[in-house]
Amino acid sequence: MKVPLLDLKEQYKSIKEEILKVTEKIFDSQYFILGPRVEALEKDIAGYCSSKHALGVSSGTDALLISLMAADMDAQQTVITTPYTFFATAGSIVRTGASPIFVDIDPDTYNMSPESLERVIASMTDKERASLKAVIPVHLYGQCADMDPILKIAKKYNLFVIEDAAQAIGAEYRGRRAGSMGDFGCFSFFPSKNLGAFGDGGMVITGSDELYDKLRVLRVHGSHPKYYHKLAGGNFRLDAIQAAIVSVKLKHLDKWTESRQENARKYRELFANSGIDDVIKLPVEKEDRHIYNQFVICVKDKRDDLRLFLNEVGVGTEIYYPIPMHLQECFLDLNYKKGDFPVAEHAALHTLALPIYPELSDDQLAYVVEKIAAFYKIKK
Ligand SMILES: Cc1ncc(COP(=O)(O)O)c(C=O)c1O
């Protein structure tokens, strides 16, 4: 049996007619950049994410970058984030000239630990604290970070909060939607996300009129009015084709999310009966609405052998992420070393993402667990 990590073709089959209809209209109109399709999606995403404003941008990475630019980051400043994330979170900080400061993660959710955040800020000198401008919690795998204490700490130290919600559209924390709690919420429409485009795309949401106005200007090279530049922005525009495709998909998103949650429930049942629950830690659901962009298990040992074995028997997996940010070669000048963030380093060595996409069959789910159980029973 084959169980790929993700099979977008199955999803496409179910919405093909809708997609072809809307894209044909765009081809006929020859209106490709920004415009009414993008505005319609912005309105829908603002509503879906309970935010006042939404701005379509070229990718999740650019959503982070433009938010940092709107927060006026520069080379003298620092931003706190987690070392256990996709590169773009830390990469976008560096691209503004600022420096990232990392804090360790919670061992259950893999999200920023508020205790570590408080500890790191408390240990700073006054000068270091004065340079600190923002914090970027990441809602990893589709579950929100523990936002209340993070927001409280940010308020205490007067920091911008930029939520990296690239993996978490529609996730909730104590009744609030991912992205809507901080100053900026950043989303990715990369095809493998729960709400994916047919290419790159992203969105920033904000509740602030002032920040929204600034984001709008930064998206078009800082031009306002046209060809007059008070700010140096970039080309962060979303195109009409991607916006229209994402709009079609948004109507199906809650149904797909429920299927992912249902698959997670089935995995839990299957693992509970597999006889190997002592070697596997399942995802811990701490917050209200986990949207399961990824279903990530943590295994006691032999993670890489397990991955090879699963690959041989037709099960796709991935490691998100094998090298924490503080150990990446391009960040060596930040002077972090192995051992600085033990929870993130442990996660990088022991976690494995299993297939969780909505169209998986019960037989496929059972097959994945059966093969993992077979591997550990042989290796015990
Ligand atoms: C946590 C996180 N942040 C940022 C990004 C960047 O998004 P994109 O690939 O759309 O640039 C991603 C997506 O891969 C992500 O998973």
Side-chain angles (χ1 to χ4, degrees), residues 301-369:
D301 59 5
K302 302 192 177 69
R303 190 265 318 263
D304 294 339
D305 290 345
L306 170 67
R307 185 163 191 232
L308 283 175
F309 172 77
L310 290 174
N311 186 44
E312 275 164 26
V313 297
V315 176
T317 60
E318 188 53 271
I319 299 166
Y320 300 115
Y321 297 91
I323 303 182
M325 290 306 117
H326 66 291
L327 301 178
Q328 294 287 351
E329 203 177 328
C330 66
F331 294 142
L332 284 182
D333 60 340
L334 298 173
N335 289 320
Y336 286 107
K337 58 182 187 317
K338 213 168 168 182
D340 282 346
F341 303 107
V343 187
E345 288 169 35
H346 182 271
L349 291 174
H350 293 270
T351 55
L352 191 66
L354 305 180
I356 185 76
Y357 62 91
E359 296 79 12
L360 281 170
S361 69
D362 287 358
D363 285 349
Q364 285 175 306
L365 292 166
Y367 181 78
V368 173
V369 177

Side-chain angles (χ1 to χ4, degrees), residues 37 79 202 293:
R37 297 275 176 192
V79 179
N293 179 239

Side-chain angles (χ1 to χ4, degrees), residues 68-89:
L68 286 158
M69 289 167 78
D72 288 329
M73 295 308 305
D74 67 36
Q76 270 47 264
Q77 289 159 348
T78 55
V79 179
I80 293 189
T81 192
T82 144
Y84 191 64
T85 179
F86 178 62
F87 179 79
T89 320

Side-chain angles (χ1 to χ4, degrees), residues 58-64 84-90 92 136-141 164-168 186-193 199-203 293-294 320-321:
S58 27
S59 66
T61 304
D62 286 342
L64 290 163
Y84 191 64
T85 179
F86 178 62
F87 179 79
T89 320
S92 55
I136 310 185
V138 181
H139 305 316
L140 204 66
Y141 305 147
D164 184 340
Q167 301 183 7
C186 302
F187 298 96
S188 163
F189 301 138
F190 186 77
S192 66
K193 300 296 191 269
D200 280 308
M203 189 74 64
N293 179 239
Q294 301 297 342
Y320 300 115
Y321 297 91

Side-chain angles (χ1 to χ4, degrees), residues 123-343:
S123 71
M124 287 177 171
T125 62
D126 288 348
K127 194 167 166 240
E128 285 167 338
R129 223 173 281 136
S131 308
L132 181 61
K133 195 75 192 273
V135 56
I136 310 185
V138 181
H139 305 316
L140 204 66
Y141 305 147
Q143 173 163 235
C144 286
D146 188 4
M147 288 302 290
D148 276 346
I150 293 173
L151 290 166
K152 202 169 154 199
I153 296 164
K155 197 165 175 200
K156 179 169 157 193
Y157 295 105
N158 197 23
L159 307 176
F160 280 104
V161 177
I162 302 172
E163 296 176 63
D164 184 340
Q167 301 183 7
I169 192 155
E172 283 176 15
Y173 175 83
R174 301 183 189 169
R176 285 167 284 165
R177 285 262 150 140
S180 70
M181 295 170 270
D183 299 288
F184 306 89
C186 302
F187 298 96
S188 163
F189 301 138
F190 186 77
S192 66
K193 300 296 191 269
N194 289 22
L195 183 64
F198 283 14
D200 280 308
M203 189 74 64
V204 185
I205 62 172
T206 180
S208 155
D209 295 344
E210 193 189 329
L211 293 175
Y212 173 67
D213 288 343
K214 204 160 169 191
L215 289 165
R216 271 175 72 94
V217 173
L218 286 167
R219 178 172 65 175
V220 288
H221 299 285
S223 167
H224 182 69
K226 209 171 179 188
Y227 304 127
Y228 289 77
H229 301 259
K230 251 191 245 158
L231 301 168
N235 172 3
F236 299 125
R237 300 178 302 232
L238 181 64
D239 70 73
I241 295 173
Q242 300 309 334
I245 289 168
V246 174
S247 289
V248 167
K249 286 188 160 193
L250 183 59
K251 289 187 233 132
H252 301 272
L253 182 60
D254 282 337
K255 179 184 67 195
W256 291 333
T257 298
E258 276 160 32
S259 300
R260 286 171 180 271
Q261 292 166 335
E262 186 56 27
N263 288 344
R265 272 193 289 280
K266 287 175 184 165
Y267 266 139
R268 287 183 198 285
E269 251 175 62
L270 290 161
F271 276 114
N273 297 321
S274 67
I276 51 153
D277 42 345
D278 55 328
V279 289
I280 291 198
K281 182 177 171 187
L282 298 180
V284 178
E285 270 192 38
K286 275 201 177 162
E287 310 311 342
D288 293 354
R289 188 175 191 243
H290 193 323
I291 59 139
Y292 284 103
N293 179 239
Q294 301 297 342
F295 186 90
V296 176
I297 59 170
C298 185
V299 302
K300 232 182 207 164
D301 59 5
K302 302 192 177 69
R303 190 265 318 263
D304 294 339
D305 290 345
L306 170 67
R307 185 163 191 232
L308 283 175
F309 172 77
L310 290 174
N311 186 44
E312 275 164 26
V313 297
V315 176
T317 60
E318 188 53 271
I319 299 166
Y320 300 115
Y321 297 91
I323 303 182
M325 290 306 117
H326 66 291
L327 301 178
Q328 294 287 351
E329 203 177 328
C330 66
F331 294 142
L332 284 182
D333 60 340
L334 298 173
N335 289 320
Y336 286 107
K337 58 182 187 317
K338 213 168 168 182
D340 282 346
F341 303 107
V343 187

